[in-house]
Amino acid sequence: QVQLVESGGGLVQAGGSLRLSCAASGRTFSTSIMGWFRQAPGKEREFVAAINWSGSSKNYADSVKGRFTISRNNAKSTVYLQMNSLKPEDTAVYFCAAGWKNIIATVTYAYDYWGQGTQVTVSS
């Protein structure tokens, strides 16, 4: 079993920044692929960013490239999502996910465990 707990969400004005954290416990974190997804009201959950076990390879959705940065600290079993230049369309519940399929996947079914999510609201 793996437990994932997100934190760092909140209300921010457009153009502002937030840093999300996801703390993991249980199965070996250092070998996992970690991803961030988001889900806005009435919409499907969508891929935001993912990172391989060492942090040497990352993937981003086009909508967040150049604004968001994913990183991880295996010693702390934590993955981060630094979000800059936030826009109202970034408003959503953000979820972290863990998988061990050895690919930096952009689809939800490639991940085995999910956190409960943290709300990010960007006001205009």
Side-chain angles (χ1 to χ4, degrees), residues 57-107:
S57 185
K58 304 174 185 180
N59 193 8
Y60 296 94
D62 288 342
S63 58
V64 307
K65 278 181 182 176
R67 300 188 299 123
F68 291 11
T69 302
I70 189 171
S71 62
R72 68 189 295 160
N73 184 328
N74 287 341
K76 295 184 177 181
S77 296
T78 302
V79 63
Y80 305 96
L81 186 68
Q82 178 66 45
M83 305 186 296
N84 299 329
S85 302
L86 282 161
K87 304 175 181 180
E89 51 263 45
D90 293 319
T91 295
V93 177
Y94 283 71
F95 299 88
C96 70
W100 282 265
K101 293 182 172 55
N102 209 32
I103 57 171
I104 303 180
T106 63
V107 292

Side-chain angles (χ1 to χ4, degrees), residues 109-123:
Y109 56 78
Y111 293 85
D112 303 300
Y113 296 95
W114 293 82
Q116 294 295 313
T118 185
Q119 176 71 47
V120 171
T121 303
V122 184
S123 63

Side-chain angles (χ1 to χ4, degrees), residues 15-63:
S17 299
L18 283 174
R19 188 196 197 200
L20 305 184
S21 299
C22 174
S25 61
R27 189 172 173 179
T28 306
F29 174 84
S30 61
T31 61
S32 66
I33 305 294
M34 296 299 297
W36 284 98
F37 289 74
R38 66 187 182 187
Q39 188 167 17
K43 295 187 176 181
E44 292 188 353
R45 194 167 297 189
E46 65 174 4
F47 171 75
V48 175
I51 188 169
N52 73 337
W53 68 273
S54 67
S56 62
S57 185
K58 304 174 185 180
N59 193 8
Y60 296 94
D62 288 342
S63 58

